[in-house]
Amino acid sequence: MSTSKNWAAVAVVASALLLSGCGALEDMANDFTPSSGEVEQAAPSPVAEAPISTGEYDLVETCNAFFAGPLVSGIQQAAPAVAAPLTEDLTGVATKVSTNIGLIIGKADEVSIGHLEAVRAPFDQALGGTIARPAAIGSAIESYKATCTEAGFKG
């Protein structure tokens, strides 16, 4: 047998082995692929949903929870941080503000939720990497305070 015939024979045998190996791999893959009846639906991607509240507080109680204590002054001191990309320290401050407002939202009345979200939104934007407007925080606080005063809050 000549060398070229040997190479041709080797090529035929190698091709046959390769094809049979591919068929075996395909059979193995089918063992792990669910049939059309077994395909599970993918979970929906997370979408921002409206805050969930227990409604434990009425409007005046929510106002008191927000305005009494150091939360508002802490928010006002942290507000300038949202105008630039957050540093590691400022990320902690913005996270704390967002979390504290979220705790109040968890017990808030429906009217307060929109106001509190408006105060929290610039901090959440900054945490997401977007520069926000500090003035929006001050405006949101003033708007909420006016709503609280109208409702009888005397804080």
Side-chain angles (χ1 to χ4, degrees):
M1 228 192 214
S2 73
T3 307
S4 63
K5 286 185 181 180
N6 286 338
W7 285 112
V10 169
V12 168
V13 171
S15 295
L17 289 173
L18 182 61
L19 289 175
S20 68
C22 289
L25 287 175
E26 187 175 304
D27 289 341
M28 287 174 37
N30 287 336
D31 290 343
F32 295 102
T33 305
S35 67
S36 62
E38 298 173 349
V39 175
E40 293 182 25
Q41 295 297 323
S45 61
V47 176
E49 296 180 13
I52 297 173
S53 172
T54 62
E56 184 178 329
Y57 295 161
D58 65 20
L59 177 58
V60 174
E61 290 171 324
T62 306
C63 295
N64 189 52
F66 182 75
F67 287 105
L71 181 60
V72 173
S73 65
I75 291 170
Q76 290 169 331
Q77 288 174 358
V82 303
L86 297 176
T87 64
E88 187 175 326
D89 290 339
L90 293 176
T91 297
V93 170
T95 300
K96 184 176 178 181
V97 167
S98 180
T99 301
N100 288 338
I101 294 172
L103 291 172
I104 295 172
I105 288 172
K107 295 181 179 186
D109 63 285
E110 292 300 316
V111 172
S112 294
I113 289 174
H115 288 285
L116 294 171
E117 282 295 340
V119 174
R120 182 166 82 165
F123 291 100
D124 288 349
Q125 285 176 322
L127 288 168
T130 304
I131 294 173
R133 294 181 313 121
I137 297 167
S139 298
I141 290 171
E142 290 305 314
S143 175
Y144 185 41
K145 190 164 194 163
T147 299
C148 290
T149 303
E150 256 180 53
F153 174 68
K154 299 186 187 332

